[in-house]
Amino acid sequence: MNKNVLIIGGGIIGLSSAYYLQKQGHNVTIVDQSDLTSGASHVNAGIITPSHIIPLAAPGVINKGLKWMFSSTSPLSIKPTLNSHFLRWAWLFKKASTKQKVEKSIPIIKNINVFSQELYEDIKTSDDFNFYYQKKGLMMLYQSDKMGEEEWNIGQKAIQEGLHVEHLKASEAQQLQPNAKLNIKGAVYYHSDSHTTPSDFMKEFTSYLLKNGVNIITNEKVISVNVSGKKASSVQTKQQKIQFDELVMASGSWTPMLVKQLGLRIPVVPGKGYRINVKKKTGITIPAILTEAKVAVTPMDGFTRFAGKMELAGINTKINMKRVRAIAQSSEKYYPDLKINEEFINDADYGLRPCSPDGLPYIGKLSSFNNVTLATGHAMMGWSLGPATGKLVSELISNQNTSINIASFKPERYL
Ligand SMILES: Cc1cc2nc3c(=O)[nH]c(=O)nc-3n(C[C@H](O)[C@H](O)[C@H](O)COP(=O)(O)OP(=O)(O)OC[C@H]3O[C@@H](n4cnc5c(N)ncnc54)[C@H](O)[C@@H]3O)c2cc1C
C-alpha cells in the first residue's frame, strides 16, 4: 500500500531513504531546515569504508580523550560540560568501550558497510544519475612503529572478516603512488574501500529525487511533532503543518531535540569535523588515513580533500581555525612536498557527525509509536551507510523483511 511519508532531514540518510521509498511507490516529502548545500553530508571525506570495522567507542579512546581534552590541535577534543544529555552519553560511551563489545560490533559494522557499498555500486550501474565513484582502496599511513603495530592488528581482524588487507613497507606504498612523496614508516592497505565526491553526489541525488516526484521543502525547521495516541500525526514548521502516514527522523545531530517531543531520550551528540579542499595538483591518487593525526585524505573529482577532527562541543557553528590549521600542518608532515595554501585553509568548512555512544547507528521503528522510524547516529560512517540505511527504512515502512538483521541498531536500546 502506498503511504505518504515525511522525512525530517535531507542529509545522505534522508535522501537515501527517499530514494528507496520512492522506488517502492510511496509518496515522499523531505523537509530540511537548511538549503541542502552544507553539513556533514557535504563536507565528509567521501570514503565508503568496509575497512572501518572498529567503532569510535573502543578501549583506550577515553584515556586518549582525557589526555587531549584541553589541546586545541588534538584529533579528539571534548568541551567539559555539566549538561545532563552529554554526561549520560559519555557514561554510555564508556560502558560501550570494552574489548568484548567492540569484538561483537566488528562483524555487524562490516556487514552493513559491505551491503551499503554494493548498493552504491547498484546505483552507479543503474544510470539513475551519474557520479564519481572510484575503488582504489584506503591506505592507513603510519609514522611510528607503535601505530603500525596497532593498525596491523586491526588489519588482521579485518582479514578474518574476509577483507583483502596488506601490510606495506614505506617503499611499496610509495611505488603505488609515485607522484606524491610520502614520509611514513609503512601502510596498512585495505583494498575494499571506495570513494566519491560528496557535494556532487548530493546535488545529483537531489535532482534525481525531484525529477522522480519527491517533494523537497528547504529552509523550514520542524519545531514540533504532534502526537495522537500511539501515532505521530503531523509536524509543525514555522510556515505550515505537514501531515503524513509515516514519519522518518533522519535529522542527524539534531535528533535528540525532536525525539524529546515524543517523550524519548535517544543519546546522540554532534562530533564536529572540518574539511579543507586543495584545488591544485597533489599527486595523491589513493585515499589515506594519516593514522597518528587522524586525518582522512581523499582524491576527489578535481581536488584533494583533507578532513578530520572530532570536536565534542554541542551544536555550534564556530569554525576553530587552530584545528583547521592543525589538519593542514599534519598533512604536510606525511606528504613533504605538499603545501596547503592559506586560500584553501580560509575556505574550510565543518559538519556535525551524529554520534551514538556505541558507534552503531539507530535504524528501526520506535516501539512506542506505530508510524515513526528513526535513522540516525551513524557517526563516522554515515556516508558509507547511507544507501543501506535508506534501503532498510524503505523495507520497514513497506512492511517487508529487512535485507540484513537490524537487531543491533534498535533505536530504543538505551531507554
Ligand atoms: C569531516 C568529516 C569527515 C567524514 N568522513 C566520512 C567518510 O569518509 N565516510 C563516511 O562514511 N562518513 C564520514 N563522515 C560522517 C558522515 O558525513 C555523517 O555520518 C553523515 O553525513 C550523517 O548524515 P545524516 O544524514 O545522518 O546527517 P546530516 O547530514 O547532518 O543531515 C541531517 C539533516 O537534518 C536536518 N534537520 C535536523 N533537524 C531538523 C529539523 N528540526 N527540521 C528540519 N531539518 C532538520 C539538518 O539540517 C540536516 O540537513 C564524516 C563526517 C565529517 C564531519
Side-chain angles (χ1 to χ4, degrees):
M1 196 185 79
N2 291 0
K3 295 175 180 170
N4 292 318
V5 184
L6 178 70
I7 302 172
I8 307 177
I12 185 65
I13 303 298
L15 297 193
S16 302
S17 302
Y19 177 78
Y20 290 105
L21 283 162
Q22 187 273 335
K23 283 197 183 285
Q24 297 251 20
H26 300 293
N27 304 316
V28 185
T29 298
I30 297 174
V31 60
D32 200 292
Q33 62 196 359
S34 76
D35 65 357
L36 297 193
T37 58
S38 60
S41 298
H42 296 262
V43 307
N44 68 77
I47 305 171
I48 296 159
T49 54
S51 61
H52 279 39
I53 54 169
I54 306 287
L56 180 64
V61 172
I62 299 261
N63 288 348
K64 275 189 192 157
L66 289 173
K67 202 170 79 192
W68 283 334
M69 196 148 110
F70 299 105
S71 159
S72 57
T73 54
S74 59
L76 170 71
S77 69
I78 304 167
K79 188 173 171 200
T81 168
L82 291 178
N83 168 320
S84 64
H85 173 74
F86 179 77
L87 290 176
R88 176 169 176 255
W89 182 92
W91 179 71
L92 294 168
F93 181 94
K94 185 173 180 304
K95 273 189 28 175
S97 306
T98 66
K99 194 163 176 284
Q100 294 92 309
K101 291 201 170 140
V102 169
E103 293 290 338
K104 197 172 155 219
S105 298
I106 288 175
I108 297 165
I109 295 178
K110 196 226 64 187
N111 288 342
I112 188 170
N113 260 288
V114 169
F115 174 51
S116 206
Q117 189 180 45
E118 285 165 7
L119 294 174
Y120 264 110
E121 289 174 0
D122 288 349
I123 302 174
K124 179 73 185 165
T125 47
S126 72
D127 279 339
D128 280 346
F129 59 98
N130 196 18
F131 62 97
Y132 177 83
Y133 181 88
Q134 300 275 310
K135 194 164 182 188
K136 293 193 173 170
L138 177 71
M139 284 202 203
M140 312 299 285
L141 305 181
Y142 61 84
Q143 293 185 318
S144 68
D145 292 330
K146 184 168 176 282
M147 188 56 90
E149 209 175 295
E150 273 178 36
E151 285 301 331
W152 183 228
N153 279 340
I154 300 174
Q156 283 167 307
K157 285 193 203 303
I159 292 172
Q160 281 166 19
E161 288 298 321
L163 299 184
H164 179 195
V165 190
E166 280 183 286
H167 199 173
L168 304 181
K169 290 187 195 129
S171 57
E172 291 169 327
Q174 186 67 80
Q175 242 173 18
L176 290 174
Q177 194 174 234
N179 296 325
K181 191 171 175 204
L182 292 170
N183 173 26
I184 55 166
K185 282 219 156 157
V188 176
Y189 187 19
Y190 290 81
H191 291 263
S192 48
D193 291 16
S194 36
H195 65 281
T196 53
T197 309
S199 293
D200 293 354
F201 183 94
M202 292 295 284
K203 204 164 145 210
E204 294 301 319
F205 209 1
T206 307
S207 324
Y208 167 86
L209 293 173
L210 285 169
K211 268 190 234 138
N212 285 275
V214 171
N215 178 24
I216 303 185
I217 305 167
T218 54
N219 300 308
E220 277 194 40
K221 179 177 178 168
V222 171
I223 42 185
S224 60
V225 182
N226 303 314
V227 172
S228 153
K230 276 198 87 182
K231 275 187 88 171
S233 51
S234 62
V235 301
Q236 187 70 48
T237 71
K238 231 181 193 173
Q239 289 86 344
Q240 58 180 319
K241 183 176 182 174
I242 311 172
Q243 285 174 319
F244 48 79
D245 302 318
E246 293 278 344
L247 179 65
V248 178
M249 290 187 170
S251 37
S253 296
W254 295 262
T255 305
M257 279 84 88
L258 283 169
V259 292
K260 200 171 167 191
Q261 303 191 19
L262 302 174
L264 301 174
R265 293 194 307 159
I266 305 282
V268 174
V269 300
K272 194 194 272 174
Y274 300 98
R275 70 99 181 103
I276 303 171
N277 290 340
V278 173
K279 295 181 178 166
K280 64 174 184 183
K281 283 209 166 73
T282 59
I284 298 169
T285 51
I286 301 178
I289 304 283
L290 316 180
T291 54
E292 287 88 357
K294 309 266 179 285
V295 169
V297 183
T298 319
M300 295 191 179
D301 195 12
F303 61 95
T304 307
R305 176 165 291 178
F306 297 81
K309 303 294 168 199
M310 173 67 89
E311 209 177 289
L312 302 179
I315 291 193
N316 70 73
T317 56
K318 190 171 164 251
I319 294 194
N320 182 328
M321 288 311 286
K322 274 194 183 159
R323 294 198 198 290
V324 174
R325 268 178 218 291
I327 293 176
Q329 282 159 5
S330 51
S331 304
E332 289 170 357
K333 286 185 186 146
Y334 285 74
Y335 300 98
D337 288 347
L338 172 74
K339 175 79 193 106
I340 302 186
N341 305 346
E342 276 300 300
E343 62 174 305
F344 303 134
I345 292 176
N346 290 331
D347 181 47
D349 204 355
Y350 78 94
L352 302 174
R353 305 173 184 92
C355 301
S356 67
D358 56 7
L360 298 180
Y362 301 109
I363 309 168
K365 284 208 156 202
L366 294 178
S367 58
S368 36
F369 290 87
N370 295 332
N371 63 339
V372 183
T373 303
L374 211 68
T376 188
H378 296 72
M380 308 172 57
M381 293 181 295
W383 186 255
S384 307
L385 301 188
T389 306
K391 177 103 177 135
L392 293 166
V393 165
S394 77
E395 289 167 344
L396 288 169
I397 288 181
S398 309
N399 297 322
Q400 295 166 348
N401 291 333
T402 52
S403 298
I404 57 170
N405 184 336
I406 56 167
S408 306
F409 309 135
K410 198 172 181 287
E412 287 137 322
R413 59 187 180 269
Y414 293 116
L415 291 187

Short mmCIF file of all heavy atoms in Angstrom, two decimals, residues 8-14 31-34 36 40-41 43-47 49 220-222 250-254 258 271 273-274 307-308 351-354 376 378-384, ligand 1:
data_model
loop_
_atom_site.label_atom_id
_atom_site.label_comp_id
_atom_site.label_asym_id
_atom_site.label_seq_id
_atom_site.Cartn_x
_atom_site.Cartn_y
_atom_site.Cartn_z
N ILE A 8 12.22 13.89 7.97
CA ILE A 8 12.86 15.11 8.50
C ILE A 8 14.36 14.95 8.31
O ILE A 8 14.98 14.06 8.89
CB ILE A 8 12.55 15.34 10.00
CG1 ILE A 8 11.04 15.30 10.25
CG2 ILE A 8 13.14 16.68 10.47
CD1 ILE A 8 10.66 15.46 11.74
N GLY A 9 14.95 15.78 7.46
CA GLY A 9 16.40 15.73 7.23
C GLY A 9 16.74 15.32 5.80
O GLY A 9 16.32 14.26 5.34
N GLY A 10 17.49 16.17 5.14
CA GLY A 10 17.90 15.90 3.76
C GLY A 10 19.40 15.70 3.64
O GLY A 10 20.01 16.11 2.66
N GLY A 11 20.01 15.06 4.65
CA GLY A 11 21.41 14.62 4.54
C GLY A 11 21.42 13.32 3.75
O GLY A 11 20.40 12.90 3.17
N ILE A 12 22.57 12.63 3.74
CA ILE A 12 22.68 11.40 2.96
C ILE A 12 21.65 10.35 3.43
O ILE A 12 21.10 9.60 2.61
CB ILE A 12 24.13 10.83 2.99
CG1 ILE A 12 24.28 9.61 2.09
CG2 ILE A 12 24.59 10.49 4.40
CD1 ILE A 12 24.09 9.86 0.63
N ILE A 13 21.35 10.33 4.73
CA ILE A 13 20.41 9.32 5.24
C ILE A 13 18.99 9.63 4.76
O ILE A 13 18.26 8.74 4.31
CB ILE A 13 20.47 9.24 6.79
CG1 ILE A 13 21.91 8.95 7.26
CG2 ILE A 13 19.49 8.21 7.33
CD1 ILE A 13 22.51 7.63 6.81
N GLY A 14 18.60 10.91 4.83
CA GLY A 14 17.26 11.29 4.39
C GLY A 14 17.09 11.08 2.89
O GLY A 14 16.08 10.53 2.43
N VAL A 31 11.68 17.36 4.48
CA VAL A 31 11.73 18.75 4.97
C VAL A 31 13.08 18.95 5.66
O VAL A 31 13.54 18.09 6.41
CB VAL A 31 10.53 19.08 5.90
CG1 VAL A 31 10.48 18.18 7.12
CG2 VAL A 31 10.56 20.54 6.34
N ASP A 32 13.75 20.05 5.34
CA ASP A 32 15.06 20.32 5.96
C ASP A 32 15.15 21.81 6.32
O ASP A 32 14.69 22.67 5.57
CB ASP A 32 16.21 19.94 5.01
CG ASP A 32 17.51 19.76 5.78
OD1 ASP A 32 18.07 20.76 6.30
OD2 ASP A 32 17.98 18.61 5.88
N GLN A 33 15.79 22.06 7.46
CA GLN A 33 15.95 23.45 7.91
C GLN A 33 17.00 24.21 7.10
O GLN A 33 17.08 25.43 7.16
CB GLN A 33 16.33 23.46 9.40
CG GLN A 33 17.65 22.78 9.69
CD GLN A 33 17.87 22.44 11.16
OE1 GLN A 33 17.03 22.73 11.99
NE2 GLN A 33 19.01 21.84 11.47
N SER A 34 17.82 23.48 6.34
CA SER A 34 18.89 24.14 5.56
C SER A 34 18.49 24.19 4.08
O SER A 34 17.42 23.74 3.69
CB SER A 34 20.19 23.35 5.72
OG SER A 34 20.12 22.17 4.93
N LEU A 36 20.20 22.53 1.91
CA LEU A 36 20.77 21.27 1.41
C LEU A 36 22.09 21.45 0.66
O LEU A 36 22.37 20.74 -0.31
CB LEU A 36 19.78 20.51 0.50
CG LEU A 36 18.48 20.02 1.11
CD1 LEU A 36 17.79 19.04 0.15
CD2 LEU A 36 18.70 19.33 2.44
N ALA A 40 27.38 17.78 7.45
CA ALA A 40 28.20 16.57 7.42
C ALA A 40 28.14 15.85 6.08
O ALA A 40 29.16 15.36 5.57
CB ALA A 40 27.75 15.63 8.53
N SER A 41 26.96 15.80 5.48
CA SER A 41 26.83 15.01 4.25
C SER A 41 27.50 15.69 3.06
O SER A 41 27.56 15.11 1.97
CB SER A 41 25.36 14.72 3.97
OG SER A 41 24.83 13.95 5.04
N VAL A 43 30.57 17.83 3.66
CA VAL A 43 32.00 18.07 3.95
C VAL A 43 32.78 16.79 4.20
O VAL A 43 33.99 16.83 4.39
CB VAL A 43 32.21 19.00 5.16
CG1 VAL A 43 31.42 20.28 5.03
CG2 VAL A 43 31.87 18.29 6.47
N ASN A 44 32.11 15.65 4.24
CA ASN A 44 32.80 14.42 4.68
C ASN A 44 33.87 13.97 3.68
O ASN A 44 33.96 14.49 2.57
CB ASN A 44 31.79 13.30 4.94
CG ASN A 44 31.13 12.83 3.69
OD1 ASN A 44 31.71 12.09 2.91
ND2 ASN A 44 29.91 13.30 3.45
N ALA A 45 34.66 12.99 4.10
CA ALA A 45 35.80 12.55 3.28
C ALA A 45 35.37 11.64 2.12
O ALA A 45 36.22 11.23 1.32
CB ALA A 45 36.83 11.85 4.15
N GLY A 46 34.10 11.31 2.03
CA GLY A 46 33.58 10.60 0.86
C GLY A 46 34.05 9.16 0.73
O GLY A 46 33.91 8.55 -0.33
N ILE A 47 34.60 8.61 1.81
CA ILE A 47 35.15 7.25 1.72
C ILE A 47 34.08 6.24 2.13
O ILE A 47 33.40 6.42 3.15
CB ILE A 47 36.42 7.09 2.59
CG1 ILE A 47 37.44 8.16 2.21
CG2 ILE A 47 37.04 5.69 2.43
CD1 ILE A 47 38.64 8.24 3.14
N THR A 49 33.52 2.73 3.52
CA THR A 49 34.51 2.16 4.42
C THR A 49 34.27 0.75 4.97
O THR A 49 34.15 0.60 6.19
CB THR A 49 34.63 3.06 5.66
OG1 THR A 49 33.28 3.21 6.19
CG2 THR A 49 35.20 4.41 5.38
N GLU A 220 13.07 25.11 6.10
CA GLU A 220 11.95 25.05 7.06
C GLU A 220 12.32 24.09 8.17
O GLU A 220 12.55 22.90 7.92
CB GLU A 220 10.66 24.56 6.38
CG GLU A 220 9.92 25.68 5.69
CD GLU A 220 8.49 25.31 5.30
OE1 GLU A 220 7.79 24.64 6.10
OE2 GLU A 220 8.09 25.70 4.20
N LYS A 221 12.35 24.62 9.36
CA LYS A 221 12.72 23.81 10.52
C LYS A 221 11.47 23.20 11.16
O LYS A 221 10.49 23.91 11.40
CB LYS A 221 13.45 24.71 11.52
CG LYS A 221 13.85 24.00 12.77
CD LYS A 221 14.63 24.91 13.68
CE LYS A 221 14.96 24.14 14.96
NZ LYS A 221 15.93 24.79 15.78
N VAL A 222 11.51 21.92 11.43
CA VAL A 222 10.41 21.29 12.17
C VAL A 222 10.55 21.70 13.62
O VAL A 222 11.58 21.44 14.25
CB VAL A 222 10.45 19.75 12.03
CG1 VAL A 222 9.44 19.09 12.96
CG2 VAL A 222 10.20 19.34 10.59
N ALA A 250 15.43 11.49 10.10
CA ALA A 250 16.81 11.35 9.62
C ALA A 250 17.51 12.68 9.89
O ALA A 250 18.16 13.26 9.03
CB ALA A 250 16.81 11.02 8.13
N SER A 251 17.34 13.15 11.10
CA SER A 251 17.68 14.53 11.45
C SER A 251 19.06 14.67 12.09
O SER A 251 19.35 15.68 12.75
CB SER A 251 16.58 15.10 12.35
OG SER A 251 16.11 14.10 13.23
N GLY A 252 19.90 13.66 11.91
CA GLY A 252 21.31 13.77 12.32
C GLY A 252 21.49 14.20 13.76
O GLY A 252 20.82 13.71 14.68
N SER A 253 22.42 15.14 13.95
CA SER A 253 22.81 15.57 15.30
C SER A 253 21.69 16.27 16.07
O SER A 253 21.78 16.46 17.27
CB SER A 253 24.00 16.53 15.20
OG SER A 253 25.10 15.83 14.68
N TRP A 254 20.65 16.69 15.35
CA TRP A 254 19.55 17.43 15.98
C TRP A 254 18.46 16.49 16.51
O TRP A 254 17.48 16.93 17.10
CB TRP A 254 18.93 18.41 14.98
CG TRP A 254 19.86 19.49 14.53
CD1 TRP A 254 19.93 20.76 15.02
CD2 TRP A 254 20.86 19.41 13.50
NE1 TRP A 254 20.91 21.47 14.37
CE2 TRP A 254 21.50 20.66 13.42
CE3 TRP A 254 21.29 18.42 12.63
CZ2 TRP A 254 22.53 20.96 12.54
CZ3 TRP A 254 22.32 18.70 11.74
CH2 TRP A 254 22.93 19.95 11.70
N LEU A 258 14.22 16.57 18.73
CA LEU A 258 12.94 16.17 18.13
C LEU A 258 12.29 15.01 18.88
O LEU A 258 11.10 15.03 19.15
CB LEU A 258 13.15 15.79 16.66
CG LEU A 258 13.33 16.96 15.69
CD1 LEU A 258 13.81 16.46 14.34
CD2 LEU A 258 12.04 17.73 15.52
N GLY A 271 29.58 15.41 16.69
CA GLY A 271 31.05 15.37 16.67
C GLY A 271 31.51 16.20 15.49
O GLY A 271 31.44 15.76 14.34
N GLY A 273 33.59 17.99 12.68
CA GLY A 273 34.81 17.76 11.91
C GLY A 273 34.92 18.81 10.83
O GLY A 273 33.94 19.48 10.49
N TYR A 274 36.14 18.97 10.32
CA TYR A 274 36.40 20.02 9.32
C TYR A 274 36.96 19.42 8.04
O TYR A 274 37.58 18.35 8.07
CB TYR A 274 37.44 21.01 9.86
CG TYR A 274 37.01 21.70 11.13
CD1 TYR A 274 37.45 21.24 12.37
CD2 TYR A 274 36.16 22.80 11.08
CE1 TYR A 274 37.06 21.87 13.54
CE2 TYR A 274 35.77 23.44 12.25
CZ TYR A 274 36.22 22.97 13.47
OH TYR A 274 35.84 23.60 14.64
N ALA A 307 40.35 15.90 5.65
CA ALA A 307 39.24 16.05 6.60
C ALA A 307 39.59 15.40 7.92
O ALA A 307 40.26 14.36 7.95
CB ALA A 307 37.98 15.41 6.03
N GLY A 308 39.16 16.02 9.00
CA GLY A 308 39.45 15.40 10.29
C GLY A 308 38.92 16.20 11.47
O GLY A 308 38.15 17.14 11.31
N GLY A 351 31.20 20.03 9.57
CA GLY A 351 29.94 19.27 9.63
C GLY A 351 29.85 18.57 10.98
O GLY A 351 30.87 18.37 11.66
N LEU A 352 28.63 18.22 11.37
CA LEU A 352 28.42 17.58 12.67
C LEU A 352 28.06 16.11 12.47
O LEU A 352 27.01 15.80 11.89
CB LEU A 352 27.28 18.30 13.42
CG LEU A 352 27.48 19.80 13.66
CD1 LEU A 352 26.21 20.41 14.27
CD2 LEU A 352 28.68 20.06 14.56
N ARG A 353 28.94 15.23 12.94
CA ARG A 353 28.65 13.79 12.83
C ARG A 353 27.68 13.41 13.95
O ARG A 353 27.98 13.69 15.12
CB ARG A 353 29.91 12.96 13.02
CG ARG A 353 31.08 13.30 12.11
CD ARG A 353 32.29 12.48 12.58
NE ARG A 353 33.51 12.75 11.87
CZ ARG A 353 34.41 13.66 12.22
NH1 ARG A 353 34.22 14.43 13.28
NH2 ARG A 353 35.52 13.82 11.53
N PRO A 354 26.58 12.75 13.63
CA PRO A 354 25.67 12.33 14.71
C PRO A 354 26.19 11.07 15.38
O PRO A 354 26.11 9.98 14.81
CB PRO A 354 24.35 12.08 13.98
CG PRO A 354 24.69 11.94 12.53
CD PRO A 354 26.08 12.42 12.29
N THR A 376 19.42 7.41 12.26
CA THR A 376 20.46 8.39 12.58
C THR A 376 21.57 7.74 13.42
O THR A 376 21.59 6.52 13.60
CB THR A 376 19.86 9.61 13.32
OG1 THR A 376 20.88 10.61 13.43
CG2 THR A 376 19.35 9.25 14.71
N HIS A 378 24.93 7.71 12.81
CA HIS A 378 25.92 6.98 12.01
C HIS A 378 27.36 7.45 12.22
O HIS A 378 28.29 6.90 11.62
CB HIS A 378 25.58 7.06 10.53
CG HIS A 378 24.28 6.40 10.17
ND1 HIS A 378 23.07 6.94 10.50
CD2 HIS A 378 24.02 5.26 9.51
CE1 HIS A 378 22.10 6.15 10.05
NE2 HIS A 378 22.65 5.12 9.44
N ALA A 379 27.53 8.49 13.02
CA ALA A 379 28.87 8.96 13.41
C ALA A 379 29.82 9.09 12.21
O ALA A 379 29.54 9.80 11.26
CB ALA A 379 29.45 8.07 14.49
N MET A 380 30.92 8.30 12.25
CA MET A 380 31.98 8.45 11.24
C MET A 380 31.71 7.64 9.98
O MET A 380 32.52 7.62 9.06
CB MET A 380 33.31 8.01 11.84
CG MET A 380 33.53 8.71 13.14
SD MET A 380 34.90 8.17 14.09
CE MET A 380 36.26 8.34 13.04
N MET A 381 30.55 6.94 9.93
CA MET A 381 30.31 6.04 8.80
C MET A 381 29.03 6.37 8.04
O MET A 381 28.56 5.57 7.25
CB MET A 381 30.20 4.60 9.32
CG MET A 381 31.49 4.08 9.87
SD MET A 381 31.32 2.40 10.43
CE MET A 381 30.18 2.60 11.77
N GLY A 382 28.47 7.56 8.30
CA GLY A 382 27.17 7.88 7.70
C GLY A 382 27.21 7.94 6.19
O GLY A 382 26.23 7.57 5.52
N TRP A 383 28.32 8.41 5.65
CA TRP A 383 28.40 8.48 4.19
C TRP A 383 28.37 7.07 3.62
O TRP A 383 27.64 6.77 2.69
CB TRP A 383 29.66 9.23 3.75
CG TRP A 383 29.67 9.43 2.28
CD1 TRP A 383 30.43 8.77 1.37
CD2 TRP A 383 28.83 10.33 1.54
NE1 TRP A 383 30.12 9.20 0.09
CE2 TRP A 383 29.14 10.15 0.17
CE3 TRP A 383 27.84 11.25 1.90
CZ2 TRP A 383 28.50 10.87 -0.84
CZ3 TRP A 383 27.20 11.96 0.90
CH2 TRP A 383 27.53 11.77 -0.45
N SER A 384 29.15 6.19 4.23
CA SER A 384 29.19 4.80 3.75
C SER A 384 27.84 4.13 3.89
O SER A 384 27.43 3.36 3.02
CB SER A 384 30.17 3.98 4.60
OG SER A 384 31.40 4.60 4.63
C1 LIG B 1 34.91 15.86 8.48
C2 LIG B 1 34.04 14.66 8.29
C3 LIG B 1 34.50 13.58 7.55
C4 LIG B 1 33.70 12.43 7.37
N1 LIG B 1 34.14 11.42 6.56
C5 LIG B 1 33.36 10.35 6.34
C6 LIG B 1 33.77 9.32 5.43
O1 LIG B 1 34.79 9.41 4.77
N2 LIG B 1 32.97 8.24 5.30
C7 LIG B 1 31.80 8.11 5.99
O2 LIG B 1 31.14 7.08 5.85
N3 LIG B 1 31.35 9.10 6.81
C8 LIG B 1 32.10 10.21 7.00
N4 LIG B 1 31.67 11.21 7.83
C9 LIG B 1 30.40 11.03 8.56
C10 LIG B 1 29.18 11.38 7.70
O3 LIG B 1 29.43 12.55 6.99
C11 LIG B 1 27.92 11.53 8.57
O4 LIG B 1 27.76 10.39 9.39
C12 LIG B 1 26.68 11.67 7.70
O5 LIG B 1 26.82 12.73 6.78
C13 LIG B 1 25.45 11.90 8.56
O6 LIG B 1 24.36 12.01 7.68
P1 LIG B 1 22.90 12.35 8.22
O7 LIG B 1 22.00 12.40 7.04
O8 LIG B 1 22.56 11.42 9.34
O9 LIG B 1 23.05 13.77 8.94
P2 LIG B 1 23.20 15.23 8.30
O10 LIG B 1 23.97 15.22 7.06
O11 LIG B 1 23.63 16.11 9.42
O12 LIG B 1 21.70 15.56 7.90
C14 LIG B 1 20.71 15.81 8.87
C15 LIG B 1 19.80 16.88 8.30
O13 LIG B 1 18.68 17.06 9.16
C16 LIG B 1 18.30 18.41 9.11
N5 LIG B 1 17.50 18.71 10.31
C17 LIG B 1 17.84 18.44 11.60
N6 LIG B 1 16.86 18.85 12.45
C18 LIG B 1 15.89 19.39 11.67
C19 LIG B 1 14.64 20.00 11.95
N7 LIG B 1 14.18 20.15 13.22
N8 LIG B 1 13.88 20.43 10.91
C20 LIG B 1 14.33 20.30 9.63
N9 LIG B 1 15.53 19.75 9.31
C21 LIG B 1 16.29 19.29 10.31
C22 LIG B 1 19.64 19.14 9.10
O14 LIG B 1 19.51 20.45 8.57
C23 LIG B 1 20.48 18.25 8.20
O15 LIG B 1 20.49 18.67 6.85
C24 LIG B 1 32.42 12.37 8.00
C25 LIG B 1 31.94 13.46 8.71
C26 LIG B 1 32.72 14.61 8.86
C27 LIG B 1 32.17 15.79 9.61
#
